[in-house]
Amino acid sequence: MSTKLTRRSTLGLMAGAAAIAMPNVVRAQTVEVVAHYSMPPIFKAAMEAVAEAFNKKSDKVKVTYVNPTPTYEDGAQLVLRQATTGGLPDVSFQGLNRLRLFAERSIAADLKPFLDREGDLAKIGYSRPILGLGHHGGVQCGLAFATSNPISYMNVDLLKKVGASAETFPKNWDDVIALSAKIAALGDGNTGMFFRWPGDDWMFSALLYGFGGRMLTEDETKVAFDGAEGLAALRLLDRMVKEGKMPNLTGNADLQSFGAGKMGMMFRTTAQVRQVSGMVGSNFEMQTTTLPVIDPVKGRLPTGGAGAMMTAKDPARQAAAWEFIKFATSAEGTTLMAKNTGYVPCNQLAIDDPAYLGEFYKANPLFQAATKQVHLMIPWYAFPGQNSVRVTQVMVDNLARIVEQKASPDEVLRDMSREVTRLIPRRQG
């Protein structure tokens, strides 16, 4: 009796084990990728659209999201914390200027081996400038997902009042400044222009890069903006104030003035096209165009936005995470992103092939300006070391001295260079 019971028990246990094992086998065939992103008011619709499309196509990998963080900074802090305490997602969409931080701390996996297995990267839309946005210290620590660059916003009604038009909009800063002065001369509270210099160093870098300059030397041991290009950038900002009659505005005063129809030209990120057009409404005709050219050969533009970063460590999870990153940054994925946000697409096929975004751009011409500048985009420089935030504030505070007309460009360049030099890491040994 006991033998039979034992055999029956054994068979029952085997059957039970098989019943438990079967679902595990099924689950093993589908790997769940956990992803994280920030700024849900901007990205939620896009992220949901990308995940839905990916999950429909993929039978072996499924993606789910953790709760999004409010800002890029919150997202960076979350991943830094989880890298120590555990619970890292497999994929994190981080601000492009934060990718360096994760590469230096070996949190971001190098995507080069995965890219190498894809063959001809140009055929799947990864151009060299696009790849460069996620390349730091010899590591392909991310792939650009959503990008922005600075563009020109025009109040066409005000332009017409001084004999200009969107079609004849200046191609260089000399003519922009002259046009700004004409608009300001209209009086009645009108201003000609505002170049969005406050807040951070992004728009200053647009001028610096436009002249072909750079923030630090290649070995990052010395300031590099203290040369001819940096001085030219500061002198151009000074001319905007002196000759173009650009006012000293803070907060979102420039947005409010432009939206109310009292500003002729505004130079800001393309990421705000949807917001600005909503503010303008039917107040006046608004159009956008590319940023005026400084140096047509050496000139470049800084890039804002988010990049997809792999944080998974296990090879099997890395392979699954790559499938999602590859889809999110593909022509199809970046098309879904652009349609749901208005950011610049980050896949050259989506930009070049009208089958992806042709109808979208026909219906939304305000978003086209930024796509015409993709070939000029280089990373928004991330200063090395512990004082990167302080460095940015030092630069903004010194730019304010020019706009407030409290110091000359030469004085500001000298002081800014000295202060930043004290804050960047010194070479060891």
PDB file of all heavy atoms in Angstrom, residues 181-196:
ATOM      1  N   ALA A 181      16.087  95.980 -35.820  1.00  0.00           N
ATOM      2  CA  ALA A 181      16.067  97.417 -35.529  1.00  0.00           C
ATOM      3  C   ALA A 181      14.892  98.104 -36.215  1.00  0.00           C
ATOM      4  O   ALA A 181      14.251  98.996 -35.635  1.00  0.00           O
ATOM      5  CB  ALA A 181      17.384  98.048 -35.962  1.00  0.00           C
ATOM      6  N   LYS A 182      14.582  97.698 -37.429  1.00  0.00           N
ATOM      7  CA  LYS A 182      13.451  98.288 -38.154  1.00  0.00           C
ATOM      8  C   LYS A 182      12.127  97.990 -37.451  1.00  0.00           C
ATOM      9  O   LYS A 182      11.255  98.860 -37.347  1.00  0.00           O
ATOM     10  CB  LYS A 182      13.402  97.749 -39.589  1.00  0.00           C
ATOM     11  CG  LYS A 182      14.517  98.253 -40.490  1.00  0.00           C
ATOM     12  CD  LYS A 182      14.358  97.676 -41.893  1.00  0.00           C
ATOM     13  CE  LYS A 182      15.462  98.168 -42.823  1.00  0.00           C
ATOM     14  NZ  LYS A 182      15.335  97.591 -44.181  1.00  0.00           N
ATOM     15  N   ILE A 183      11.978  96.754 -36.982  1.00  0.00           N
ATOM     16  CA  ILE A 183      10.736  96.380 -36.297  1.00  0.00           C
ATOM     17  C   ILE A 183      10.608  97.131 -34.977  1.00  0.00           C
ATOM     18  O   ILE A 183       9.525  97.628 -34.615  1.00  0.00           O
ATOM     19  CB  ILE A 183      10.677  94.858 -36.074  1.00  0.00           C
ATOM     20  CG1 ILE A 183      10.631  94.130 -37.424  1.00  0.00           C
ATOM     21  CG2 ILE A 183       9.453  94.477 -35.229  1.00  0.00           C
ATOM     22  CD1 ILE A 183      10.766  92.626 -37.326  1.00  0.00           C
ATOM     23  N   ALA A 184      11.716  97.232 -34.249  1.00  0.00           N
ATOM     24  CA  ALA A 184      11.696  97.961 -32.972  1.00  0.00           C
ATOM     25  C   ALA A 184      11.332  99.425 -33.184  1.00  0.00           C
ATOM     26  O   ALA A 184      10.679 100.045 -32.327  1.00  0.00           O
ATOM     27  CB  ALA A 184      13.049  97.848 -32.283  1.00  0.00           C
ATOM     28  N   ALA A 185      11.726  99.978 -34.335  1.00  0.00           N
ATOM     29  CA  ALA A 185      11.445 101.385 -34.635  1.00  0.00           C
ATOM     30  C   ALA A 185       9.966 101.642 -34.891  1.00  0.00           C
ATOM     31  O   ALA A 185       9.526 102.806 -34.917  1.00  0.00           O
ATOM     32  CB  ALA A 185      12.277 101.834 -35.839  1.00  0.00           C
ATOM     33  N   LEU A 186       9.172 100.582 -35.051  1.00  0.00           N
ATOM     34  CA  LEU A 186       7.734 100.755 -35.232  1.00  0.00           C
ATOM     35  C   LEU A 186       7.080 101.330 -33.980  1.00  0.00           C
ATOM     36  O   LEU A 186       6.004 101.926 -34.042  1.00  0.00           O
ATOM     37  CB  LEU A 186       7.068  99.408 -35.573  1.00  0.00           C
ATOM     38  CG  LEU A 186       7.384  98.784 -36.939  1.00  0.00           C
ATOM     39  CD1 LEU A 186       6.785  97.379 -37.018  1.00  0.00           C
ATOM     40  CD2 LEU A 186       6.850  99.656 -38.073  1.00  0.00           C
ATOM     41  N   GLY A 187       7.718 101.121 -32.822  1.00  0.00           N
ATOM     42  CA  GLY A 187       7.141 101.605 -31.566  1.00  0.00           C
ATOM     43  C   GLY A 187       5.937 100.777 -31.151  1.00  0.00           C
ATOM     44  O   GLY A 187       5.808  99.612 -31.522  1.00  0.00           O
ATOM     45  N   ASP A 188       5.070 101.366 -30.366  1.00  0.00           N
ATOM     46  CA  ASP A 188       3.840 100.711 -29.910  1.00  0.00           C
ATOM     47  C   ASP A 188       4.120  99.397 -29.184  1.00  0.00           C
ATOM     48  O   ASP A 188       3.365  98.435 -29.285  1.00  0.00           O
ATOM     49  CB  ASP A 188       2.901 100.478 -31.092  1.00  0.00           C
ATOM     50  CG  ASP A 188       1.484 100.082 -30.636  1.00  0.00           C
ATOM     51  OD1 ASP A 188       1.081 100.505 -29.539  1.00  0.00           O
ATOM     52  OD2 ASP A 188       0.804  99.341 -31.381  1.00  0.00           O
ATOM     53  N   GLY A 189       5.230  99.357 -28.457  1.00  0.00           N
ATOM     54  CA  GLY A 189       5.573  98.163 -27.672  1.00  0.00           C
ATOM     55  C   GLY A 189       6.158  97.017 -28.464  1.00  0.00           C
ATOM     56  O   GLY A 189       6.341  95.917 -27.924  1.00  0.00           O
ATOM     57  N   ASN A 190       6.456  97.242 -29.737  1.00  0.00           N
ATOM     58  CA  ASN A 190       7.018  96.179 -30.564  1.00  0.00           C
ATOM     59  C   ASN A 190       8.520  96.027 -30.346  1.00  0.00           C
ATOM     60  O   ASN A 190       9.241  97.013 -30.182  1.00  0.00           O
ATOM     61  CB  ASN A 190       6.761  96.456 -32.054  1.00  0.00           C
ATOM     62  CG  ASN A 190       5.303  96.301 -32.424  1.00  0.00           C
ATOM     63  OD1 ASN A 190       4.715  95.249 -32.230  1.00  0.00           O
ATOM     64  ND2 ASN A 190       4.708  97.369 -32.951  1.00  0.00           N
ATOM     65  N   THR A 191       8.993  94.784 -30.334  1.00  0.00           N
ATOM     66  CA  THR A 191      10.420  94.508 -30.289  1.00  0.00           C
ATOM     67  C   THR A 191      10.784  93.680 -31.502  1.00  0.00           C
ATOM     68  O   THR A 191       9.957  92.919 -32.029  1.00  0.00           O
ATOM     69  CB  THR A 191      10.811  93.740 -29.011  1.00  0.00           C
ATOM     70  OG1 THR A 191      10.051  92.530 -28.933  1.00  0.00           O
ATOM     71  CG2 THR A 191      10.558  94.578 -27.781  1.00  0.00           C
ATOM     72  N   GLY A 192      12.020  93.806 -31.932  1.00  0.00           N
ATOM     73  CA  GLY A 192      12.421  93.135 -33.158  1.00  0.00           C
ATOM     74  C   GLY A 192      12.756  91.676 -32.983  1.00  0.00           C
ATOM     75  O   GLY A 192      12.365  90.836 -33.802  1.00  0.00           O
ATOM     76  N   MET A 193      13.484  91.339 -31.881  1.00  0.00           N
ATOM     77  CA  MET A 193      13.974  89.971 -31.767  1.00  0.00           C
ATOM     78  C   MET A 193      14.263  89.597 -30.323  1.00  0.00           C
ATOM     79  O   MET A 193      14.407  90.465 -29.454  1.00  0.00           O
ATOM     80  CB  MET A 193      15.263  89.799 -32.582  1.00  0.00           C
ATOM     81  CG  MET A 193      16.450  90.600 -32.017  1.00  0.00           C
ATOM     82  SD  MET A 193      18.008  90.334 -32.899  1.00  0.00           S
ATOM     83  CE  MET A 193      18.368  88.637 -32.437  1.00  0.00           C
ATOM     84  N   PHE A 194      14.342  88.282 -30.092  1.00  0.00           N
ATOM     85  CA  PHE A 194      14.885  87.781 -28.837  1.00  0.00           C
ATOM     86  C   PHE A 194      15.590  86.463 -29.106  1.00  0.00           C
ATOM     87  O   PHE A 194      15.016  85.532 -29.689  1.00  0.00           O
ATOM     88  CB  PHE A 194      13.810  87.571 -27.773  1.00  0.00           C
ATOM     89  CG  PHE A 194      14.409  87.269 -26.416  1.00  0.00           C
ATOM     90  CD1 PHE A 194      14.971  88.287 -25.661  1.00  0.00           C
ATOM     91  CD2 PHE A 194      14.434  85.980 -25.920  1.00  0.00           C
ATOM     92  CE1 PHE A 194      15.548  88.035 -24.423  1.00  0.00           C
ATOM     93  CE2 PHE A 194      15.010  85.702 -24.673  1.00  0.00           C
ATOM     94  CZ  PHE A 194      15.564  86.742 -23.928  1.00  0.00           C
ATOM     95  N   PHE A 195      16.846  86.406 -28.708  1.00  0.00           N
ATOM     96  CA  PHE A 195      17.658  85.204 -28.815  1.00  0.00           C
ATOM     97  C   PHE A 195      17.676  84.563 -27.444  1.00  0.00           C
ATOM     98  O   PHE A 195      18.120  85.162 -26.478  1.00  0.00           O
ATOM     99  CB  PHE A 195      19.084  85.574 -29.261  1.00  0.00           C
ATOM    100  CG  PHE A 195      19.969  84.387 -29.533  1.00  0.00           C
ATOM    101  CD1 PHE A 195      19.955  83.779 -30.784  1.00  0.00           C
ATOM    102  CD2 PHE A 195      20.812  83.890 -28.560  1.00  0.00           C
ATOM    103  CE1 PHE A 195      20.774  82.687 -31.050  1.00  0.00           C
ATOM    104  CE2 PHE A 195      21.636  82.802 -28.812  1.00  0.00           C
ATOM    105  CZ  PHE A 195      21.616  82.197 -30.057  1.00  0.00           C
ATOM    106  N   ARG A 196      17.164  83.346 -27.328  1.00  0.00           N
ATOM    107  CA  ARG A 196      16.912  82.718 -26.034  1.00  0.00           C
ATOM    108  C   ARG A 196      18.218  82.323 -25.317  1.00  0.00           C
ATOM    109  O   ARG A 196      18.570  81.145 -25.221  1.00  0.00           O
ATOM    110  CB  ARG A 196      16.008  81.506 -26.231  1.00  0.00           C
ATOM    111  CG  ARG A 196      15.618  80.774 -24.946  1.00  0.00           C
ATOM    112  CD  ARG A 196      14.762  81.617 -24.048  1.00  0.00           C
ATOM    113  NE  ARG A 196      14.503  80.956 -22.779  1.00  0.00           N
ATOM    114  CZ  ARG A 196      13.808  81.498 -21.781  1.00  0.00           C
ATOM    115  NH1 ARG A 196      13.298  82.714 -21.924  1.00  0.00           N
ATOM    116  NH2 ARG A 196      13.622  80.857 -20.664  1.00  0.00           N
TER     117      ARG A 196
END
